[in-house]
Short mmCIF file of all heavy atoms in Angstrom, two decimals:
data_model
loop_
_atom_site.label_atom_id
_atom_site.label_comp_id
_atom_site.label_asym_id
_atom_site.label_seq_id
_atom_site.Cartn_x
_atom_site.Cartn_y
_atom_site.Cartn_z
N THR S 234 0.87 -1.24 0.01
CA THR S 234 -0.01 0.03 -0.03
C THR S 234 0.89 1.23 -0.03
O THR S 234 2.04 1.23 0.51
CB THR S 234 -0.94 -0.04 1.24
OG1 THR S 234 -1.95 1.06 0.99
CG2 THR S 234 -0.20 0.29 2.44
N ILE S 235 0.33 2.35 -0.52
CA ILE S 235 0.95 3.63 -0.49
C ILE S 235 0.05 4.67 0.00
O ILE S 235 -1.15 4.71 -0.54
CB ILE S 235 1.56 3.95 -1.94
CG1 ILE S 235 2.41 5.23 -1.89
CG2 ILE S 235 0.53 3.90 -3.02
CD1 ILE S 235 3.27 5.51 -3.12
N SER S 236 0.51 5.51 0.82
CA SER S 236 -0.51 6.40 1.49
C SER S 236 -0.88 7.51 0.48
O SER S 236 -0.36 7.63 -0.63
CB SER S 236 0.17 7.10 2.53
OG SER S 236 1.31 7.91 2.20
N TRP S 237 -1.99 8.29 0.83
CA TRP S 237 -2.41 9.48 0.02
C TRP S 237 -1.32 10.51 0.19
O TRP S 237 -0.58 10.52 1.20
CB TRP S 237 -3.77 9.83 0.33
CG TRP S 237 -3.94 10.70 1.55
CD1 TRP S 237 -3.07 11.19 2.47
CD2 TRP S 237 -5.29 11.07 2.04
NE1 TRP S 237 -3.75 11.94 3.42
CE2 TRP S 237 -5.05 11.84 3.22
CE3 TRP S 237 -6.64 10.81 1.66
CZ2 TRP S 237 -6.04 12.37 3.95
CZ3 TRP S 237 -7.57 11.39 2.47
CH2 TRP S 237 -7.35 12.15 3.57
N THR S 238 -1.30 11.44 -0.71
CA THR S 238 -0.23 12.49 -0.72
C THR S 238 -0.82 13.85 -0.77
O THR S 238 0.03 14.85 -0.75
CB THR S 238 0.67 12.24 -1.88
OG1 THR S 238 -0.07 12.37 -3.07
CG2 THR S 238 1.38 10.91 -1.79
N GLY S 239 -2.03 14.07 -1.00
CA GLY S 239 -2.56 15.40 -1.17
C GLY S 239 -2.04 16.00 -2.46
O GLY S 239 -2.20 15.31 -3.52
N ALA S 240 -1.39 17.17 -2.40
CA ALA S 240 -0.94 17.76 -3.60
C ALA S 240 0.49 17.45 -4.08
O ALA S 240 0.93 18.02 -4.98
CB ALA S 240 -1.15 19.31 -3.49
N THR S 241 1.10 16.55 -3.27
CA THR S 241 2.47 16.32 -3.56
C THR S 241 2.78 14.82 -3.37
O THR S 241 2.06 14.17 -2.73
CB THR S 241 3.40 17.12 -2.55
OG1 THR S 241 4.78 16.83 -2.86
CG2 THR S 241 3.14 16.71 -1.12
N THR S 242 3.90 14.34 -4.01
CA THR S 242 4.26 12.97 -3.86
C THR S 242 5.43 12.81 -2.85
O THR S 242 5.83 11.80 -2.74
CB THR S 242 4.66 12.36 -5.25
OG1 THR S 242 5.80 13.07 -5.72
CG2 THR S 242 3.53 12.39 -6.19
N TYR S 243 5.84 13.89 -2.31
CA TYR S 243 7.11 13.82 -1.58
C TYR S 243 6.95 13.01 -0.24
O TYR S 243 7.91 12.58 0.31
CB TYR S 243 7.63 15.23 -1.23
CG TYR S 243 8.07 16.05 -2.47
CD1 TYR S 243 7.41 17.12 -2.87
CD2 TYR S 243 9.15 15.51 -3.21
CE1 TYR S 243 7.86 17.73 -3.96
CE2 TYR S 243 9.58 16.13 -4.30
CZ TYR S 243 8.95 17.29 -4.73
OH TYR S 243 9.33 17.91 -5.86
N TYR S 244 5.70 12.94 0.29
CA TYR S 244 5.53 12.40 1.62
C TYR S 244 4.85 11.09 1.68
O TYR S 244 4.28 10.66 2.69
CB TYR S 244 4.92 13.46 2.48
CG TYR S 244 5.67 14.71 2.50
CD1 TYR S 244 5.15 15.87 2.02
CD2 TYR S 244 6.89 14.76 3.17
CE1 TYR S 244 5.86 17.11 2.04
CE2 TYR S 244 7.67 15.96 3.19
CZ TYR S 244 7.11 17.12 2.52
OH TYR S 244 7.83 18.30 2.58
N ALA S 245 4.70 10.33 0.50
CA ALA S 245 4.03 9.11 0.47
C ALA S 245 4.77 8.10 1.32
O ALA S 245 6.02 7.92 1.26
CB ALA S 245 3.85 8.70 -0.95
N THR S 246 4.09 7.28 2.05
CA THR S 246 4.73 6.21 2.78
C THR S 246 4.23 4.89 2.20
O THR S 246 3.13 4.83 1.71
CB THR S 246 4.35 6.23 4.18
OG1 THR S 246 3.00 6.31 4.41
CG2 THR S 246 5.07 7.52 4.90
N THR S 247 5.03 3.81 2.28
CA THR S 247 4.69 2.62 1.67
C THR S 247 4.77 1.49 2.70
O THR S 247 5.57 1.52 3.67
CB THR S 247 5.62 2.33 0.47
OG1 THR S 247 7.01 2.35 0.91
CG2 THR S 247 5.47 3.27 -0.61
N TYR S 248 4.03 0.41 2.50
CA TYR S 248 4.02 -0.75 3.34
C TYR S 248 3.94 -2.00 2.51
O TYR S 248 3.26 -1.97 1.49
CB TYR S 248 2.86 -0.69 4.34
CG TYR S 248 2.76 0.54 5.17
CD1 TYR S 248 2.10 1.72 4.66
CD2 TYR S 248 3.39 0.64 6.44
CE1 TYR S 248 2.10 2.82 5.42
CE2 TYR S 248 3.34 1.80 7.20
CZ TYR S 248 2.70 2.81 6.66
OH TYR S 248 2.68 4.07 7.40
N TYR S 249 4.58 -3.06 2.94
CA TYR S 249 4.64 -4.31 2.06
C TYR S 249 4.36 -5.50 2.94
O TYR S 249 4.66 -5.55 4.19
CB TYR S 249 5.97 -4.40 1.41
CG TYR S 249 6.35 -3.31 0.49
CD1 TYR S 249 7.08 -2.28 0.96
CD2 TYR S 249 5.99 -3.44 -0.89
CE1 TYR S 249 7.33 -1.14 0.05
CE2 TYR S 249 6.22 -2.35 -1.74
CZ TYR S 249 7.02 -1.33 -1.24
OH TYR S 249 7.29 -0.20 -2.10
N ALA S 250 3.78 -6.55 2.33
CA ALA S 250 3.73 -7.81 2.99
C ALA S 250 5.12 -8.45 3.01
O ALA S 250 5.92 -8.18 2.16
CB ALA S 250 2.83 -8.71 2.12
N ASP S 251 5.35 -9.15 4.05
CA ASP S 251 6.71 -9.72 4.18
C ASP S 251 7.10 -10.60 3.10
O ASP S 251 8.26 -10.63 2.72
CB ASP S 251 6.74 -10.62 5.48
CG ASP S 251 6.73 -9.78 6.78
OD1 ASP S 251 6.98 -8.54 6.73
OD2 ASP S 251 6.43 -10.37 7.81
N SER S 252 6.24 -11.19 2.40
CA SER S 252 6.48 -12.13 1.28
C SER S 252 7.03 -11.40 0.07
O SER S 252 7.63 -12.07 -0.78
CB SER S 252 5.22 -12.96 0.95
OG SER S 252 4.18 -12.10 0.55
N VAL S 253 6.80 -10.07 -0.07
CA VAL S 253 7.21 -9.34 -1.24
C VAL S 253 8.23 -8.25 -0.91
O VAL S 253 8.79 -7.65 -1.79
CB VAL S 253 6.04 -8.73 -1.95
CG1 VAL S 253 5.00 -9.81 -2.28
CG2 VAL S 253 5.47 -7.60 -1.21
N LYS S 254 8.48 -8.15 0.41
CA LYS S 254 9.42 -7.03 0.76
C LYS S 254 10.78 -7.27 0.20
O LYS S 254 11.36 -8.33 0.25
CB LYS S 254 9.54 -7.04 2.27
CG LYS S 254 9.98 -5.73 2.86
CD LYS S 254 9.82 -5.74 4.38
CE LYS S 254 8.37 -5.70 4.86
NZ LYS S 254 8.19 -5.70 6.29
N GLY S 255 11.36 -6.15 -0.47
CA GLY S 255 12.63 -6.25 -1.10
C GLY S 255 12.55 -6.60 -2.56
O GLY S 255 13.62 -6.58 -3.29
N ARG S 256 11.45 -7.17 -2.95
CA ARG S 256 11.27 -7.59 -4.39
C ARG S 256 10.24 -6.72 -5.14
O ARG S 256 10.43 -6.41 -6.34
CB ARG S 256 10.80 -9.06 -4.39
CG ARG S 256 11.75 -10.05 -3.79
CD ARG S 256 11.27 -11.41 -4.04
NE ARG S 256 9.98 -11.76 -3.54
CZ ARG S 256 8.96 -12.15 -4.24
NH1 ARG S 256 9.07 -12.34 -5.52
NH2 ARG S 256 7.80 -12.52 -3.68
N PHE S 257 9.26 -6.24 -4.45
CA PHE S 257 8.23 -5.38 -5.06
C PHE S 257 8.32 -3.97 -4.55
O PHE S 257 8.67 -3.67 -3.48
CB PHE S 257 6.79 -5.83 -4.70
CG PHE S 257 6.37 -7.24 -5.27
CD1 PHE S 257 7.30 -8.11 -5.94
CD2 PHE S 257 5.24 -7.69 -5.15
CE1 PHE S 257 6.98 -9.26 -6.44
CE2 PHE S 257 4.74 -8.88 -5.73
CZ PHE S 257 5.71 -9.69 -6.30
N THR S 258 7.96 -3.09 -5.50
CA THR S 258 8.04 -1.62 -5.17
C THR S 258 6.69 -0.97 -5.67
O THR S 258 6.34 -1.09 -6.78
CB THR S 258 9.21 -0.90 -5.80
OG1 THR S 258 10.38 -1.52 -5.32
CG2 THR S 258 9.16 0.62 -5.44
N VAL S 259 5.98 -0.35 -4.78
CA VAL S 259 4.66 0.31 -5.10
C VAL S 259 4.98 1.89 -5.26
O VAL S 259 5.81 2.40 -4.41
CB VAL S 259 3.60 0.11 -4.04
CG1 VAL S 259 4.02 0.61 -2.64
CG2 VAL S 259 2.28 0.70 -4.50
N SER S 260 4.43 2.46 -6.25
CA SER S 260 4.58 3.88 -6.50
C SER S 260 3.34 4.42 -7.01
O SER S 260 2.51 3.75 -7.53
CB SER S 260 5.82 4.17 -7.33
OG SER S 260 5.63 3.60 -8.57
N ARG S 261 3.26 5.75 -7.08
CA ARG S 261 2.13 6.43 -7.67
C ARG S 261 2.52 7.68 -8.44
O ARG S 261 3.54 8.37 -8.05
CB ARG S 261 1.13 6.84 -6.53
CG ARG S 261 1.60 7.92 -5.55
CD ARG S 261 0.57 7.87 -4.39
NE ARG S 261 -0.72 8.30 -4.84
CZ ARG S 261 -1.87 8.10 -4.13
NH1 ARG S 261 -1.84 7.50 -2.99
NH2 ARG S 261 -3.04 8.47 -4.66
N ASP S 262 1.79 8.07 -9.44
CA ASP S 262 2.02 9.25 -10.15
C ASP S 262 0.74 9.97 -10.21
O ASP S 262 -0.17 9.65 -11.01
CB ASP S 262 2.48 8.96 -11.67
CG ASP S 262 2.77 10.20 -12.43
OD1 ASP S 262 2.25 11.27 -12.04
OD2 ASP S 262 3.60 10.11 -13.40
N ASN S 263 0.53 10.97 -9.36
CA ASN S 263 -0.68 11.69 -9.23
C ASN S 263 -1.03 12.47 -10.39
O ASN S 263 -2.23 12.63 -10.69
CB ASN S 263 -0.59 12.61 -7.96
CG ASN S 263 -0.67 11.86 -6.65
OD1 ASN S 263 -0.99 10.63 -6.64
ND2 ASN S 263 -0.18 12.52 -5.57
N ALA S 264 -0.07 12.93 -11.15
CA ALA S 264 -0.35 13.69 -12.43
C ALA S 264 -0.98 12.88 -13.45
O ALA S 264 -1.72 13.27 -14.31
CB ALA S 264 0.96 14.26 -12.99
N LYS S 265 -0.68 11.54 -13.43
CA LYS S 265 -1.26 10.57 -14.31
C LYS S 265 -2.36 9.79 -13.79
O LYS S 265 -2.92 8.81 -14.44
CB LYS S 265 -0.14 9.66 -14.92
CG LYS S 265 0.90 10.43 -15.67
CD LYS S 265 1.96 9.41 -16.24
CE LYS S 265 2.98 10.14 -17.08
NZ LYS S 265 4.03 9.21 -17.58
N ASN S 266 -2.70 9.98 -12.53
CA ASN S 266 -3.75 9.14 -11.85
C ASN S 266 -3.49 7.69 -11.97
O ASN S 266 -4.35 6.84 -12.27
CB ASN S 266 -5.17 9.50 -12.43
CG ASN S 266 -5.72 10.73 -11.87
OD1 ASN S 266 -5.10 11.52 -11.18
ND2 ASN S 266 -7.08 10.92 -12.13
N THR S 267 -2.25 7.34 -11.74
CA THR S 267 -1.84 5.91 -12.00
C THR S 267 -0.99 5.38 -10.79
O THR S 267 -0.16 6.08 -10.24
CB THR S 267 -1.04 5.79 -13.32
OG1 THR S 267 -1.83 6.32 -14.32
CG2 THR S 267 -0.66 4.32 -13.53
N LEU S 268 -1.28 4.20 -10.52
CA LEU S 268 -0.56 3.41 -9.49
C LEU S 268 0.29 2.32 -10.13
O LEU S 268 -0.22 1.77 -11.09
CB LEU S 268 -1.66 2.78 -8.50
CG LEU S 268 -1.10 1.88 -7.45
CD1 LEU S 268 -0.41 2.63 -6.31
CD2 LEU S 268 -2.23 0.96 -6.87
N TYR S 269 1.40 2.06 -9.55
CA TYR S 269 2.34 1.05 -10.15
C TYR S 269 2.77 -0.01 -9.03
O TYR S 269 2.75 0.29 -7.91
CB TYR S 269 3.48 1.78 -10.76
CG TYR S 269 3.28 2.70 -11.76
CD1 TYR S 269 3.33 4.12 -11.43
CD2 TYR S 269 3.03 2.37 -13.04
CE1 TYR S 269 3.06 5.11 -12.42
CE2 TYR S 269 2.75 3.40 -14.01
CZ TYR S 269 2.78 4.71 -13.71
OH TYR S 269 2.57 5.60 -14.76
#
């Protein structure tokens, strides 16, 4: 999961299941309304 950021992406926090930690990366582009 990745937290909401309001008007900026600088302060997003992320959390991972132990099974994927270190292998998966979650990110978001608010300008494109897209989650990755």
Side-chain angles (χ1 to χ4, degrees):
T234 192
I235 184 166
S236 65
W237 79 9
T238 60
T241 178
T242 62
Y243 293 116
Y244 304 111
T246 55
T247 57
Y248 304 88
Y249 298 93
D251 288 342
S252 59
V253 307
K254 201 171 294 183
R256 300 188 298 123
F257 290 11
T258 302
V259 61
S260 61
R261 64 190 301 160
D262 186 335
N263 289 343
K265 296 182 178 181
N266 277 15
T267 303
L268 172 74
Y269 302 100

